[in-house]
Each structure stands twice: as C-alpha cells, then as structure tokens.
Amino acid sequence: MNKVIPENIRLLLDRYLDGESTQEELRQLGEYLSHADRLPADLMPYAQMFALLDETQPTPSVQALDRLAADRPSPNLSLAGRGSRRLYLLLAAACIAAFAFILLAPLRLEEESMAVAYVDGKKLDDKQMAMQMGQEALQEIFSNGNQEEQLSNIFNGL
Amino acid sequence: MKQLLITLVAIVAALPLSAQKGLRINEVFEGNIVHELALQESLVKGESLAPFKLKVLHTVKFTTGDSQRDKVEALFEEDMKGRLSDDDENLELEYRDGHLYYAIVQIADIKKGLHRYICYQSRTNMAEHTITLVYMEGKASLADLRKTFKKK
C-alpha cells in the first residue's frame, strides 16, 4: 500500500472520483483530509467535501451493514416464500375443485336419472313402476284428509 | 393449511349422504325394523319428479304386527319433533285408538328453499297393520302437494 502523502492522496482522489476506492482508501482519504495541518490549496475543496459528507451521511461500518443484513429477511427469500405460499394455495384449490367435481358429477347424474323399486327384496330398475308406487303412496296418504275417503275406509275396514 | 384441507375433504365426502340420513325413520327404509324382504320400496330422484316440484321421493310400504308398528310409530314421532310448525300449512296429523293413523309433516329445511316432508299412514285389518312411510324433498309446498295428490 502506498504511504499517505500529498502525492498519493491525489491518486487516491482520482480513484475516489472514478468510483474505484476501497473502504480502506476512503478511510485514509477522510483521515488525511480532516487531520492534515496544511493542505495544498487544490485539495482544500476535497477536504470540505469530505467534512460535509462526514457530517450529513456518516458511512456505516462493515459490521453495522452486516448486522443490518442479518436482522432483515432477504427480500428475495421473502418474495420466494410468498410465491410458494400462493402456489400451495392454488394447488390446494385445484385439488379440492377436482376432487369435488369427480365426486359430485356422477352423483348428480345418478340423481337425475334414479328411479328404482324393490319388491319382495328384488331390485327392479323400472322407472314407471317406481313412479307409480311413489304416486300411489302419496295419493293414499294425502287422501286421508278427505272426509268421504275416510268414511269409506272406515266402513270397508268394518 | 392442512386443517383446511381436512375440513374441506370431510365436507365433500359427506355431501353424497342423503338428507334423509339424519332421520330416525331411516332405520325403517334401511330394513332394520322390518325385514327388507317384506318391504315394497320405491326411490325416485331428479327429473321424473319435476312435474310435482319434487327432487326426492322415497316410499316404503309393509304389513306388520303391533310390536313393529309401535317401533315405527315411535321413530316417526321422534322425527316429528323436528317439524317446522304446528300450523295447518306445515302439518296434518290424526291419531286413532291411541296410535298414529296418518301424518304429513314438514320438517325443517336443511337447504334454503328445499322443503322436506315425512309422511306416515297405518291401516289396520284384523291384527295386522299396513304401514306406508314417505320421505320427500323439493320446492313444493304442502298446499302444492295436497293439490297434486289428494283424490277428489
């Protein structure tokens, strides 16, 4: 490393202005420009600039930057987490929709066309007979409220 | 997430169960009170019942003695506790000689706009009772059903 003397400072300043300074070079520049008893006239504006920067925007130390990085969750990781959560939700919703469709679709079709009768323990896929049995049962029950029907039933029973 | 999935799966799996399942008289429809060989049963669902504004019509008819008649009657009376009201619009009921003679009962809907009814009729001839049980559900009101099925 070059010794910090006015000649080297100019080189360091050039590197600084080109944006190529390391942290160590910056520290040397700041220290030299703020503590040198006598500065060449051409370096005075730089000394003032560094003094101003020191007052308004203190450069955070490497340790402080490390602590900050450790405390905050990585933005990339957070986004990835959120993305995968959304993906899981979508997958779950898709699974449920597929499951419901598979289970319910045949059931609905079955319901639409179901008409069976059981007589003497035998299953008869006879839609007309099933309908007839159902209607007759309802007619019998709903006719109970009919006075004439009731009387007829009572007399027939006797 | 896991809990949500389990809940949803349980709900979907439960859907195929008939609305009739929660009723005590289902014991009769399943042949647990009277042997299924003695039952005359009909089960109609869907389009065929559209003219009657019904979706499900399940009937069962059988002839039995006092003991089983009493069991069926007791089950029906249990289900009657879930009736919508005692109003004529929702209930027809008659007892004879201390036993249920016939009943048409609207029970609480399990789905809005889908009415449910249970019906019972017992005819006694000598020592035998011919019992008819009906479960139905649909949009039809009791007034609609009376108009459709009551003999003039």
Side-chain angles (χ1 to χ4, degrees), chain B residues 24-149:
Chain B
R24 299 297 310 277
I25 54 166
N26 200 43
E27 294 270 308
V28 186
F29 284 101
E30 286 180 347
N32 296 335
I33 305 295
V34 178
H35 196 279
E36 56 186 17
L37 287 176
L39 300 177
Q40 283 185 27
E41 184 182 358
S42 75
L43 175 59
V44 185
K45 290 181 179 180
E47 285 300 303
S48 318
L49 295 169
F52 311 119
K53 296 184 196 171
L54 290 173
K55 284 195 163 183
V56 178
L57 174 59
H58 198 176
T59 71
V60 71
K61 190 173 183 177
F62 53 90
T63 300
T64 189
D66 287 346
S67 164
Q68 286 175 324
R69 185 270 312 264
D70 292 349
K71 281 184 190 170
V72 176
E73 192 179 301
L75 292 173
F76 191 89
E77 284 173 334
E78 277 287 307
D79 287 337
M80 274 176 57
K81 290 176 185 169
R83 63 186 175 272
L84 208 59
S85 77
D86 289 344
D87 296 342
D88 288 346
E89 293 168 8
N90 310 115
L91 180 73
E92 276 190 38
L93 189 64
E94 188 177 330
Y95 280 87
R96 283 188 189 178
D97 302 325
H99 287 282
L100 194 56
Y101 178 69
Y102 93 96
I104 302 166
V105 184
Q106 183 172 357
I107 52 176
D109 300 356
I110 48 167
K111 193 177 168 188
K112 199 179 176 185
L114 196 66
H115 308 313
R116 299 193 301 157
Y117 303 90
I118 52 173
C119 310
Y120 175 98
Q121 176 185 263
S122 175
R123 290 278 181 273
T124 302
N125 188 10
M126 308 298 281
E128 287 189 325
H129 312 282
T130 300
I131 293 172
T132 306
L133 266 184
V134 176
Y135 170 83
M136 57 189 156
E137 63 182 49
K139 289 184 177 175
S141 65
L142 191 50
D144 292 331
L145 294 169
R146 281 185 190 126
K147 205 182 291 180
T148 309
F149 294 108

Side-chain angles (χ1 to χ4, degrees), chain A residues 7 14 19 44 48 85 89 114 147:
Chain A
E7 288 76 10
D14 287 343
M44 281 303 287
Q48 287 170 347
R85 194 174 176 184
L89 278 172
M114 191 171 191
Q147 295 292 328

Side-chain angles (χ1 to χ4, degrees), chain A:
Chain A
M1 182 183 291
N2 295 330
K3 195 182 172 185
V4 183
I5 54 172
E7 288 76 10
N8 289 340
I9 283 297
R10 288 191 176 81
L11 284 173
L12 288 177
L13 276 172
D14 287 343
R15 282 178 57 75
Y16 174 74
L17 294 173
D18 290 339
E20 293 171 351
S21 296
T22 64
Q23 285 288 324
E24 178 58 22
E25 288 169 343
L26 276 174
R27 191 189 61 76
Q28 288 174 356
L29 265 176
E31 196 175 320
Y32 178 83
L33 292 171
S34 59
H35 293 106
D37 294 333
R38 272 196 237 159
L39 281 175
D42 61 318
L43 293 182
M44 281 303 287
Y46 293 108
Q48 287 170 347
M49 183 184 80
F50 269 77
L52 193 66
L53 284 174
D54 275 349
E55 280 173 19
T56 55
Q57 289 185 330
T59 308
S61 68
V62 175
Q63 288 84 355
L65 285 171
D66 285 345
R67 274 201 305 277
L68 189 67
D71 289 346
R72 288 180 60 180
S74 161
N76 288 338
L77 261 179
S78 173
L79 278 173
R82 244 178 284 161
S84 65
R85 194 174 176 184
R86 200 171 297 162
L87 183 67
Y88 279 130
L89 278 172
L90 281 171
L91 276 173
C95 285
I96 290 161
F99 190 52
F101 180 79
I102 291 165
L103 269 180
L104 297 179
L107 180 78
R108 208 169 294 139
L109 285 173
E110 190 186 332
E111 275 191 1
E112 279 171 7
S113 60
M114 191 171 191
V116 288
Y118 296 86
V119 179
D120 299 329
K122 289 177 187 168
K123 184 181 177 183
L124 307 171
D125 281 319
D126 187 332
K127 187 178 169 182
Q128 273 194 327
M129 180 179 272
M131 281 295 292
Q132 191 183 333
M133 284 170 67
Q135 284 186 56
E136 280 177 4
L138 284 176
Q139 280 173 351
E140 274 184 40
I141 291 172
F142 275 90
S143 298
N144 276 298
N146 184 320
Q147 295 292 328
E148 287 179 25
E149 188 77 17
Q150 281 184 40
L151 287 172
S152 165
N153 287 337
I154 290 166
F155 285 121
N156 287 339
L158 290 170

